[in-house]
C-alpha cells in the first residue's frame, strides 16, 4: 500500500473515501449516545449532521457509517468511524479506528482511502492528554498497515482486496509539530512492515516453513536490510554442544536451523559518532522457532494440533524486530539467536526420562517432550551470552498455562532484573502492546528440581506452569538481565475484529523494537 502523509485541508482532498473519527460524548448510563466528530471542519460536520442526529450511528468502537456524495467535500464518500466514549479515547483506540477504516473500505472495493487525523479541538469536553502528534501518526499508520492484510493467500477463491493507497491528512501546523508527525509516520511505516513480515512467517504452514526455510527467509531479509546473518544446522549444534536444542531437533527429518543475525551500530549510519564504549550494552534477542510442535513422544491430542504451526511466533517476532532495527538504526549492538526445529515423534526422537547436558553444562531430565520450547531456548540464551550479550530478551509461544492465566488480551512478561523489566514496561507506551508481569522468583526453583539431574523440563505439579517454564529459562539467563515474553495466547488472533483479520497477530515485534531503542544513546 502506498502510504502518504499530507498536511492539507481535508475538505479539498479528492478521494473515493474519506474516513473521519467520531466519539460518543455520553456520560453515565442515562445519557443516550451523543456521537460527535473529531473534526473541526464545518463542511464535514454539516455533511454528517443528519446521520449523527438520526440515532442510527452511536460511535461505538469499531462501528462505521457511510455517506455518499457528501455536500461540501471533494471526497466521493464520507466514512464515519466510531472510537467509543470520549472518556475512553486512547492511542490504542485511534489505532483500532484506522484499522476499522481500512477494513471497512476493503470489502466495498474501495482501493484508495484518506483518513483525517483526529482533531479534538472542536470538543468542549476534557480531552485525553497523551495523544502526541508523533504517537498519533505512528498509531494511525500501524493500525492501517496491520489491517490491510488478510491471510487468505492459500485460497484459490482469493480476491485481493488490499488498498492501493492511503493518505493520512494532518492539520497544517508549526514546524516542530509537523516534524514530529512526520517522524511518527516514518517510524510507523518501518515498524508495521516488520510486524507484517513476522505475521507472514507465522501464517506459513509447517510443510512450507521448515526450519531451513525459516533460515532462508531470515537470511534473505538480512541481505536486503544490510544485516549480518549466519544460518547453521545439526553439525553446529553438535559442535557447540547444544544438546538440549538437539534433543528436540533429532526426531525430525527436517534439519534444525540456528540463525544468528547481527546488527552493529556504525558511525556511517549516522547515529553514532564514535566507536561504542567498551562497557556498552549488547542486546541478545532469542526466539523459539518450533515450526511445528506435535509434542513429540509426549504427543499432543489431535484437537487443535494444526495451530502448532505458529509455535515459531517468537522467532518470527525477533526476525521482524531485526528488520525494523536495521532501518531505525539505534546506537546499540543487537544479536538475535533463533533456535528452530520441528518437534516430532520418531524412532530417533528424544524420550521422557532422557537426560541431556545443555550447552551451559546444566543437566536436564526430560519429563515431557512437549515442553520443548524451554529446551531450545536454554541453549539459545546461553549461546547469546557467549556471543557477548549483556542483556537478554526472549519471545516464545511457551506454555498453555500462560493462556489459561492471562487469556488472549495480555501476553506474559517475566524478568530477573527490575531495570530491564522497567525498560520493557516503558516501551509499551509507544508499542501499545499489552503484557502482564507474572512471577519467576527463586522460590519457584523447587518446582523444577530433579532427583536424577540438575533440573527437569516440567514443574512438579501442573499449577503455575507459565512461571515454572520461566524459572527454567532463568537458570540459563543466570545473572544476565533478562526479559521473557510468553506469547502463547496472543500470537494467533482467533476472533476477527473490525480492525484485525483472523490469524497471526505479530505480537511483540513493536515492544521488542522499542525495548532495544531504550538502550540506544
Ligand atoms: N507450544 C506449546 C505451548 C502452546 C500452547 C503454544 C498453546 C500456543 C498455544 C508448548 O511447547 C507446550 O506444549 N507446552 C506444554 C508444557 C507442558 C508439557 C509442561 C503446555 O503448555 O502444555
Ligand atoms: Zn510443546
Ligand atoms: Zn511448543
Amino acid at each position: 500500500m502506498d502510504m502518504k502523509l499530507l498536511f492539507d485541508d481535508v475538505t479539498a482532498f479528492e478521494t473515493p473515501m474519506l474516513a473521519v473519527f467520531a466519539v460518543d460524548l455520553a456520560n453515565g448510563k442515562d445519557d443516550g449516545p451523543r456521537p460527535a466528530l473529531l473534526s473541526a471542519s464545518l463542511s464535514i460536520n454539516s455533511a454528517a449532521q443528519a446521520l449523527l442526529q438520526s440515532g442510527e450511528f452511536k460511535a461505538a468502537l469499531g462501528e462505521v457509517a457511510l455517506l455518499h456524495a457528501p455536500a461540501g467535500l471533494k471526497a466521493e464518500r464520507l466514512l464515519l468511524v466510531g472510537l467509543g466514549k470520549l472518556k475512553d479515547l486512547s492511542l490504542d483506540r485511534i489505532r483500532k479506528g484506522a484499522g476499522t477504516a481500512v477494513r471497512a473500505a476493503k470489502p466495498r472495493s474501495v482501493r484508495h482511502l484518506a483518513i483525517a487525523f483526529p482533531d479534538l479541538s472542536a470538543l468542549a469536553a476534557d480531552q485525553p492528554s497523551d495523544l502526541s502528534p508523533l504517537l498519533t501518526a505512528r498509531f494511525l499508520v500501524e493500525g492501517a498497515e496491520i489491517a490491510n492484510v488478510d491471510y487468505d493467500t492459500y485460497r484459490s477463491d482469493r480476491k485481493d482486496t488490499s488498498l492501493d493507497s492511503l493518505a493520512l491528512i494532518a492539520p497544517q501546523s508549526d514546524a516542530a509539530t509537523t516534524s514530529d508527525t512526520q517522524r511518527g509516520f516514518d517510524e510507523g511505516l518501518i515498524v508495521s512492515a516488520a510486524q507484517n513480515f513476522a505475521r507472514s512467517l507465522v501464517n506459513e504452514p509447517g510443510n512450507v516453513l521448515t526450519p531451513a526455510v525459516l533460515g532462508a527467509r531470515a537470511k534473505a531479509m538480512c541481505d536486503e536490510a544490510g544485516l549480518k546473518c549466519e544460518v547453521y544446522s545439526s553439525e553446529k549444534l553438535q559442535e557447540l554442544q547444544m544438546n538440549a536444542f538437539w534433543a528436540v531437533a533429532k526426531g525430525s527429518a527436517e534439519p534444525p536451523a540456528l540463525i544468528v543475525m547481527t546488527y552493529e551500530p556504525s558511525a556511517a549510519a549516522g547515529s553514532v559518532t564514535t566507536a561504542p564504549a567498551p562497557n556498552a550494552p549488547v542486546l541478545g534477542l532469542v526466539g523459539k522457532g518450533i515450526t511445528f510442535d506435535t509434542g513429540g513422544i509426549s504427543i499432543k491430542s489431535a484437537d487443535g494440533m494444526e495451530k502448532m504451526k505458529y509455535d515459531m511466533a517468537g522467532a518470527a517476532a525477533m526476525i521482524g524486530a531485526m528488520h525494523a532495527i536495521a532501518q531505525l538504526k539505534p546506537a546499540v549492538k543487537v544479536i538475535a539467536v533463533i533456535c528452530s526445529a520441528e518437534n516430532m515423534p520418531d524412532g530417533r526422537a528424544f524420550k521422557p526420562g532422557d537426560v541431556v547436558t545443555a550447552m551451559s553444562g546444566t543437566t536436564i531430565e526430560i519429563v515431557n517432550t512437549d515442553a520443548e520450547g524451554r529446551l531450545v531456548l536454554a541453549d539459545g540464551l546461553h549461546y547469546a551470552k557467549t556471543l557477548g550479550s549483556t542483556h537478554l530478551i526472549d519471545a516464545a509461544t511457551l506454555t498453555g498455562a500462560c493462556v489459561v492465566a492471562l487469556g488472549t488480551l495480555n501476553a506474559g512478561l517475566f524478568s530477573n532484573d527490575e531495570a530491564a523489566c522497567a525498560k520493557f514496561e516503558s516501551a509499551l507506551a509507544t508499542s501499545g502492546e499489552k503484557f502482564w508481569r507474572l512471577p519467576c522468583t527463586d522460590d519457584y526453583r523447587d518446582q523444577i528440581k530433579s532427583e536424577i539431574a540438575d533440573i527437569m523440563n516440567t514443574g512438579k505439579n501442573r499449577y503455575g506452569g507459565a512461571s515454572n517454564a520461566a524459572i527454567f529459562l532463568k537458570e540459563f539467563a543466570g545473572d544476565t538481565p533478562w526479559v521473557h515474553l510468553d506469547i502463547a495466547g496472543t500470537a494467533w488472533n482467533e476472533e476477527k475484529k473490525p480492525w484485525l483479520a483472523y490469524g497471526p497477530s505479530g505480537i511483540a515485534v513493536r515492544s521488542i523494537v522499542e525495548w532495544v531503542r531504550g538502550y540506544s544513546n
Side-chain angles (χ1 to χ4, degrees), residues 314-387:
M318 296 311 180
I319 298 169
M322 290 304 277
H323 188 224
I325 289 163
Q327 293 168 74
L328 292 167
K329 303 192 192 317
V332 59
K333 180 172 174 178
V334 187
I335 303 167
V337 174
I338 305 299
C339 302
S340 184
E342 200 182 50
N343 189 19
M344 295 289 276
D346 179 76
R348 272 189 251 273
F350 74 137
K351 305 173 291 297
D354 286 1
V355 175
V356 296
T357 306
M359 186 186 176
S360 67
T362 303
T363 58
I364 306 168
E365 180 191 5
I366 306 300
V367 173
N368 190 316
T369 63
D370 198 9
E372 84 298 341
R374 65 198 76 183
L375 296 170
V376 305
L377 291 174
D379 282 341
L381 288 164
H382 183 80
Y383 185 49
K385 287 201 290 186
T386 67
L387 295 177

Side-chain angles (χ1 to χ4, degrees), residues 93-332:
R93 292 201 165 198
I94 287 173
R95 179 172 45 227
K96 286 173 177 162
T100 303
V102 168
R103 296 194 68 74
K106 289 186 75 172
R108 291 177 167 91
S109 305
V110 172
R111 295 286 155 264
H112 306 278
L113 177 69
I115 300 180
F117 262 57
D119 178 353
L120 284 82
S121 63
L123 303 180
D126 285 346
Q127 293 159 17
S129 54
D130 63 340
L131 307 181
S132 70
L134 188 148
L135 289 181
T136 301
R138 215 185 126 152
F139 277 55
L140 285 171
V141 175
E142 290 171 2
E145 288 285 2
I146 300 310
N148 199 26
V149 188
D150 278 284
Y151 290 92
D152 53 1
T153 43
Y154 284 102
R155 284 176 55 165
S156 323
D157 64 351
R158 172 175 197 260
K159 294 185 182 57
D160 186 359
T161 59
S162 309
L163 297 192
D164 293 334
S165 80
L166 175 62
L168 292 181
I169 310 195
Q172 282 155 341
S173 190
D174 55 81
T177 305
T178 304
S179 98
D180 275 0
T181 309
Q182 185 70 51
R183 192 150 67 89
F185 176 85
D186 295 343
E187 288 181 5
L189 280 182
I190 290 172
V191 175
S192 55
Q195 186 175 347
N196 279 339
F197 177 50
R199 294 169 83 199
S200 72
L201 294 174
V202 177
N203 184 55
E204 291 290 16
N207 62 327
V208 172
L209 195 104
T210 58
V213 171
L214 183 65
R217 301 253 178 122
K219 177 88 173 86
M221 179 281 284
C222 289
D223 287 349
E224 178 238 301
L227 295 171
K228 188 173 151 204
C229 180
E230 290 138 319
V231 183
Y232 305 106
S233 193
S234 312
E235 310 71 49
K236 185 75 172 183
L237 268 54
Q238 266 131 38
E239 182 196 314
L240 292 172
Q241 303 205 316
M242 289 183 153
N243 300 314
F245 183 0
W246 175 242
V248 176
K250 69 185 185 150
S252 171
E254 295 294 341
L258 169 65
I259 308 164
V260 183
M261 295 168 275
T262 312
Y263 163 77
E264 297 264 9
S266 73
S271 55
V272 199
T273 45
T274 51
N279 58 352
V282 176
L283 307 180
L285 279 45
V286 183
K288 170 178 174 182
I290 302 298
T291 56
F292 196 78
D293 182 10
T294 64
I297 298 297
S298 315
I299 198 160
K300 289 180 180 295
S301 65
D303 201 18
M305 200 205 273
E306 76 283 355
K307 287 278 153 53
M308 282 302 116
K309 68 171 191 172
Y310 81 75
D311 212 17
M312 37 58 73
M318 296 311 180
I319 298 169
M322 290 304 277
H323 188 224
I325 289 163
Q327 293 168 74
L328 292 167
K329 303 192 192 317
V332 59

